[in-house]
Structures are given as structure tokens and as C-alpha cells.
Amino acid sequence: MDVDAGHSAALGGARSTEIPLSRRLRALLSWPSAEDDPVTRLARTHRSIHPGADIAALRRSYAIAESMHRGQFRKSGDAYITHPLAVAQICAELGMDTVTLMAALLHDTVEDTRYTLQALTSDFGPEVAHLVDGVTKFDKAFYGKAAEAETIRKMIIAAGKDVRVLIIKLADRLHNMRTLDARSPASRARIARATQEVLVPLCDRLGIQKLKRELDDVVLRHLEPEAYARIDEFVNNRPDWEPYHNDVVNQARVVLRRDKIVAEVKARPRHYYSIWKDTVAGNHSVPFDLPRIAIVVDGPDTDCYAALGSIHCLWRPVPGRFKDFIAAPKNNLYRSLHTTVIGPGERTLEVLIRTRAMDRSAEYGIAADFRYPKPGVNAATSTKQLDWLRRVLTWEPDTIDGAQFLQSLRCDLAETQIQVFAEGRPIILPAGSTPVDLAYELGTDRGDHCLAAKINGRLAPLSSELEEGDVVEIFTESDAHGELDLKVAPPGPRREWLRFVKSPHAQMQINRWFAEHQEPGISISDKVRLGRATIGLTLRKHNRGLANDLPLRRLAEMQGYPDLETLLVAVVDRTVEPDTVVEQLIAMVDRPE
Ligand code: MN
């Protein structure tokens, strides 16, 4: 290990008061050599995917992280550094770049040691610092109960600038979940549930199936240990399973070769969580799992349909079970053909068909852009999967507090989504959306002025629920003339829209319109509310928030206002600039004397 002695801004980690003798002995007995060097495995994985990678930078990050965390231990008794090292290893296996691995190694230093963000920035540069800051939790002492929600909001905003923040967070949670056994049953359940609610759906949106499978399974193991054990027992005790797969894989290979389609055919076992879900959904008394194979063609997209033809000639397809996610990709851009056939022995068999590129992005999702980088493309910000993230971030200025943001995020993540077509392109909306939701998705102006809609060529009420595949036309006041026989209604949205719109985006836009078109002569209580919101938004620019009014009250007092309300009204009337108030507030909180 090469500690770059002159480099670090602050060496020396927290001290632990009692280190068991056995651990001290172990530490004394282990002698550093090239083979036990803790970074060796990480470096090897990283180089196997990115041959030219800068390993010295990894070692430097490890050295700082190790020295800062020295003396800290995990609940399992392991030295703390084993955790960031494992997180970096997960990122390396996904194929992430060197900067991500450096940030993964350092991800807990700012939160848990006296290493500061400034020191990190000067030691490793702003890119690594941004990633570490994005996964650093807010202090409970300052933010109180709001800390958790504010932390998630901060992470999402940071991810909007650089998606690698989310990948580190997911790897962090995966390792914490793997090692959750050391925690109490109550905190295991709490952490597992939080993972299931927010991080698993986030992982799904980013399309990283490789991570999602393991997260799913480890959540299941902690939340439903008996069901997990039953599935484990079932999967490991079915002697006919492997021979059956060998047989179908061979038969498929033969027909594909005969039809001159170059492809790889493999068994594609399902993960435990997916078996469990199907078992529960179908009310089965024993775990329910169908044989499944994947065909990865080495050719253009059209080869997938040729392979499908060969398979349907070999085995009779089950009607209604064919899905074409190539023509209509899922919202996380997953692409593949799915079919179910009656295989040998009249057994139901599932077949996935995709190209090599589709297979890579199905497995690695957004991480594929780092694993297989394209020259001249900045994978951190350029991916199409980020469209969803950008949509989430457009709520941001409209949402006042973190709890509300988290609620909207949860809704959006839990929502099943549909795809409709408008203006000649596919548009993703939450299931249950109406033409008004669509209009706002097409643009604020289209939303504010929408008058009527045609669904699949027929005029339909604005409150109609849209369905998957609908072709929708939105008419606004300006295109209504001549086109439709409509009385022109007053401009702007109707209040009753709020009763049926589905997407948080449309809801907020409608509320915004009414807020902006309020009667003049705004009341004091409105000003107080507005002033508080203005301060909240200004704090957000500094990545800060307020758990309660206490610091603001203290500031109002210090600045000589009779009460907090007067200060808030002054902000709205612009007798004092919100930026000034926020600077004073931060200075007061950070330097309490
Ligand atoms: Mn961590």
C-alpha cells in the first residue's frame, strides 16, 4: 500500500476505544505482500474490463479511505474499510469507470470520518467529490426527521448531474444488505423494506438487472426468510431440471443452425424473487417456476424475428403469450422478444430472444455505457434512461419539502407505466393518465391551453383514461379553430382537472398556473407561506433544508425583526433578498457561537 504521505489534507481516522485482542493479533500477523494487497482483486477486475485504467489513482483513494476509517469497525466486527472496498468491487464488476471506483472507496469518509468535502475536492478533484457528496447523508442533528427524505432528494438531484451517484448508492445498499445479518431483526426489516420501496425500483428504472436480481433476492431473504428457504430447497432439489434444459437448448441450437441464424442458446434461470412473485400471484402451494431459455443472436434486430419463426415452427406457441419489446421497449428501454411455447413432454417453456447489444443493456442497463464506452460520448449524462430522471427533476422547483418530494418519487416509482403515441412519437405516462397528463408531458403550454383530445381517431373527454398503445391527438385553443366545432373556453387549465390528472408533473403545473394567476392583493398569510417557500427553495440551491422553524426564528430575532412572520413577508416584498437571508442562516447554523 503506498500512502502518498505529503498529499492528504487530513490523515488519521477516528479512534476506537476497545479493540479486541484477537483482532489486534490478526492485524499484527498479517504482513503486506503483493498477493494480500487489498486493492489487488479490485484492480484486476477493473483492468479486465478497462485495460488502460489508472490503478495508482485507485490505490491513492484506498490509502486515504483506509487511514480515515482506521479504528472503525462494522457491526460484524470487520474493519470498516472492508465495506467501501466491497462497494468498489461491486462497481468494478458492473464495469464502471475509475472515477466511480475512487468515489466508491471514499464514499463514507465525509459522512463518518473527519475528512471534509473540501479536503476530498483538493485531493481527488471535483468529479469524485460530487459523487461522494451525492451519497453523503444529511446530519440528523440539523435536519431532524426530514433528514432521510432530504437525503434522497439530494441524491436524486446529484444524480441528475451525474448518474454514477445512483450506481454507487445502489452498490452501497447491496453490500449493506448482504451483510445485514449482523443487525437486529427490527432494523433488518426496516432497511429491507426501504430498499424494496425506493432503491429496487430505482435500479429497475436504470435497467441494471444484474444488480436488481441480487437486491430482490436479498430483500426477500430478510423479509420472507421462510419463503426464501422453501424456494432455495425447491431449486436445489429438482433432478430433471438440468437435463430438461440441456435437451431444449440442444434442440433450439439445431433448428437455428438449420435456418442459418448465428446465435448463442443458454438456460436462463429465474431469480428467487421472481419465482416467489409468480408463486404468490398464482396461489401455488409449491414454488412455481417454468423452464426458460435465452437466445442471443449475433446479427441485426431482424434476426430475432427469424429466430422466433424457427422456434415457433419447432414448438407450438401458447396463444397470447408473445410480447415484442423490440418494437415497443419497456420504459427502462429493455428490449427483447418473449414467447411461451409447449416444449418437449408438453411442458410449458419460456423463450427470450434478443441481439447481443440488447442482452448487454438488459443486463447492465445504464452501466453498459460505462462498461462499453463509446468515444466522444459522456455516459454520465447522455443516456436515454435519464429521461425519466429528468422528468422527476422537473418537479423539483415546484416541491417545497423533501417529504413531499419523496412521496412523489415513491408514487412515480410504484406506478406501472403505459406508452401512448402522440405527435408521431411514443410517450411514457403513469398508468391511468388522461389526455391532460399527456398534454402537460408535451409541454406546459400544450397543457395549459388544451381543449379537447382524440383517442384513436375519436373525440374523447379530457378525463378519459388512456390505455397502452393509444394514439392520441391533443387540441389546444389555437388549433381548435376550424378543425373542431368547439366553443372557445377561457384560456388556462380548469380546476376540475386536478381531480383526474394522474402524473405529479401535471398536478404541479396546474397548481403553478393557479398560483401565478391569482387575484392581485395577496394576503399576509399567503405572503408568509410564500416567504417560507422562497427560503426553502433558496436553501435547496445550497443543498440544505430546514426540519423546523427554529433556526429561522433565531435569525429573525438576531436580525431585529419582531417575529418570524415579519421576516418572511420582507422576503416576499423584497425588502431583503432571500439569498442574503439564506447566507445568514447557514452562517448562523454552521458557526453557532
Ligand atoms: Mn456505505
Side-chain angles (χ1 to χ4, degrees):
M1 212 173 58
D2 49 345
V3 179
D4 191 350
H7 196 277
S8 160
L11 279 174
R15 301 262 169 274
S16 165
T17 41
E18 37 182 345
I19 302 169
L21 183 65
S22 61
R23 193 180 292 135
R24 261 186 295 160
L25 279 177
R26 240 185 292 142
L28 280 174
L29 288 173
S30 68
W31 197 253
S33 76
E35 259 322 288
D36 331 313
D37 167 14
V39 190
T40 301
R41 175 161 169 249
L42 178 67
R44 204 175 287 147
T45 308
H46 190 38
R47 274 262 167 95
S48 72
I49 298 165
H50 301 287
D54 178 7
I55 299 301
L58 282 189
R59 290 190 188 285
R60 207 154 54 76
S61 313
Y62 178 85
I64 296 282
E66 195 280 330
S67 73
M68 295 312 303
H69 287 297
R70 200 174 296 156
Q72 296 179 335
F73 295 92
R74 305 203 84 214
K75 284 240 162 42
S76 61
D78 292 327
Y80 195 88
I81 189 65
T82 56
H83 165 65
L85 187 61
V87 173
Q89 182 67 28
I90 293 168
C91 292
E93 282 163 15
L94 282 177
M96 295 308 294
D97 60 349
T98 312
V99 167
T100 310
L101 306 197
M102 292 167 69
L105 287 167
L106 293 157
H107 82 271
D108 277 330
T109 52
V110 174
E111 188 175 316
D112 293 336
T113 77
R114 44 194 197 75
Y115 199 46
T116 61
L117 199 59
Q118 286 90 321
L120 181 74
T121 312
S122 71
D123 287 351
F124 297 100
E127 217 180 345
V128 175
H130 175 74
L131 296 180
V132 172
D133 187 38
V135 295
T136 298
K137 287 197 191 89
F138 278 122
D139 188 4
K140 277 216 178 77
F142 180 35
Y143 290 93
K145 272 204 291 271
E148 196 188 339
E150 287 296 347
T151 298
I152 293 178
R153 188 221 298 255
K154 175 184 162 194
M155 175 180 81
I156 297 285
I157 293 171
K161 291 194 197 111
D162 191 330
V163 74
R164 291 174 291 185
V165 167
L166 281 182
I167 292 177
I168 295 170
K169 182 67 202 176
L170 289 167
D172 176 43
R173 185 54 68 90
L174 176 57
H175 183 248
N176 284 334
M177 294 290 298
R178 277 182 189 165
T179 52
L180 210 53
D181 294 302
R183 308 288 295 262
S184 74
S187 58
R188 280 166 60 178
R190 182 178 53 80
I191 296 169
R193 223 165 275 122
T195 305
Q196 191 173 39
E197 241 183 13
V198 177
L199 290 170
V200 171
L202 269 175
C203 194
D204 186 58
R205 287 294 167 87
L206 299 180
I208 314 173
Q209 288 305 310
K210 192 176 151 60
L211 269 190
K212 183 177 171 276
R213 280 195 300 268
E214 200 185 333
L215 275 173
D216 271 343
D217 282 356
V218 74
V219 164
L220 183 67
R221 183 162 70 77
H222 290 295
L223 288 182
E224 303 279 345
E226 278 155 35
Y228 184 92
R230 224 176 311 128
I231 292 168
D232 190 51
E233 162 86 24
F234 170 81
V235 165
N236 290 308
N237 291 289
R238 41 181 182 183
D240 63 330
W241 192 252
E242 212 187 300
Y244 187 79
H245 276 90
N246 290 340
D247 180 32
V248 291
V249 163
N250 280 329
Q251 290 197 37
R253 277 184 189 146
V254 170
V255 295
L256 291 171
R257 204 174 306 131
R258 181 201 65 201
D259 295 343
K260 306 210 161 41
I261 300 160
V262 183
E264 193 186 339
V265 188
K266 302 176 279 202
R268 180 64 61 111
R270 215 179 276 277
H271 65 302
Y272 286 16
Y273 177 78
S274 147
I275 298 175
W276 177 77
K277 228 175 47 181
D278 284 357
T279 307
V280 172
N283 228 337
H284 299 283
S285 53
V286 287
F288 178 77
D289 189 16
L290 292 176
R292 185 167 71 163
I293 60 170
I295 297 171
V296 179
V297 303
D298 217 346
D301 294 5
T302 47
D303 277 11
C304 295
Y305 297 95
L308 179 76
S310 309
I311 293 299
H312 281 180
C313 284
L314 175 63
W315 296 307
R316 187 160 42 86
V318 177
R321 292 292 296 274
F322 169 64
K323 288 197 191 100
D324 186 345
F325 296 118
I326 294 179
K330 286 192 188 180
N331 57 45
N332 61 7
L333 303 184
Y334 172 84
R335 298 168 79 212
S336 209
L337 299 178
H338 288 193
T339 186
T340 304
V341 298
I342 305 299
E346 297 292 297
R347 280 178 84 167
T348 310
L349 166 71
E350 294 187 333
V351 185
L352 315 178
I353 305 169
R354 50 179 71 156
T355 64
R356 201 156 293 283
M358 291 174 199
D359 194 45
R360 281 173 179 180
S361 67
E363 199 62 8
Y364 295 102
I366 216 162
D369 298 330
F370 297 91
R371 192 179 180 100
Y372 312 101
K374 293 188 196 88
V377 176
N378 180 0
T381 53
S382 70
T383 325
K384 262 210 96 182
Q385 260 119 337
L386 290 178
D387 286 355
W388 162 80
L389 192 57
R390 289 194 190 104
R391 188 155 48 80
V392 170
L393 289 170
T394 58
W395 319 330
E396 212 277 322
D398 304 318
T399 342
I400 302 310
D401 65 284
Q404 195 186 335
F405 179 82
L406 183 57
Q407 187 53 32
S408 299
L409 178 67
R410 275 211 194 98
C411 271
D412 191 282
L413 290 173
E415 220 67 84
T416 44
Q417 302 196 309
I418 54 165
Q419 180 171 264
V420 301
F421 296 88
E423 298 182 347
R425 62 189 168 103
I427 301 213
I428 308 276
L429 293 168
S433 284
T434 64
V436 174
D437 294 281
L438 171 66
Y440 275 106
E441 196 60 37
L442 295 172
T444 307
D445 211 51
R446 310 276 298 157
D448 284 348
H449 300 285
C450 96
L451 271 189
K454 274 186 180 178
I455 303 175
N456 301 321
R458 286 174 181 223
L459 268 177
L462 287 176
S463 58
S464 319
E465 242 182 57
L466 298 177
E467 274 168 43
E468 178 73 30
D470 278 346
V471 178
V472 191
E473 281 172 272
I474 299 291
F475 297 95
T476 59
E477 287 139 25
S478 46
D479 30 56
H481 301 294
E483 179 91 41
L484 292 161
D485 184 23
L486 285 167
K487 276 184 217 136
V488 176
R494 311 292 109 80
R495 277 203 191 270
E496 66 260 29
W497 290 358
L498 286 169
R499 286 206 307 271
F500 58 73
V501 292
K502 186 80 186 172
S503 64
H505 176 66
Q507 246 164 43
M508 280 174 202
Q509 291 300 330
I510 296 168
N511 282 325
R512 172 204 47 81
W513 194 90
F514 283 110
E516 281 170 9
H517 291 78
Q518 250 173 1
E519 298 301 298
I522 164 171
S523 71
I524 296 288
S525 70
D526 281 339
K527 281 189 181 177
V528 167
R529 204 169 40 79
L530 233 105
R532 186 175 276 119
T534 308
I535 298 288
L537 288 174
T538 313
L539 273 167
R540 209 78 65 213
K541 285 198 296 196
H542 298 267
N543 274 327
R544 307 286 285 255
L546 278 178
N548 57 48
D549 277 350
L550 218 66
L552 264 178
R553 281 195 194 286
R554 261 174 49 213
L555 181 73
E557 200 182 311
M558 275 167 57
Q559 301 293 323
Y561 291 92
D563 52 28
L564 169 59
E565 285 67 26
T566 318
L567 169 64
L568 294 174
V569 170
V571 167
V572 176
D573 293 341
R574 293 282 159 150
T575 43
V576 53
E577 282 305 308
D579 283 310
T580 316
V581 174
V582 161
E583 273 158 31
Q584 290 165 341
L585 190 64
I586 290 175
M588 182 191 80
V589 170
D590 289 352
R591 283 184 295 279
E593 68 281 348

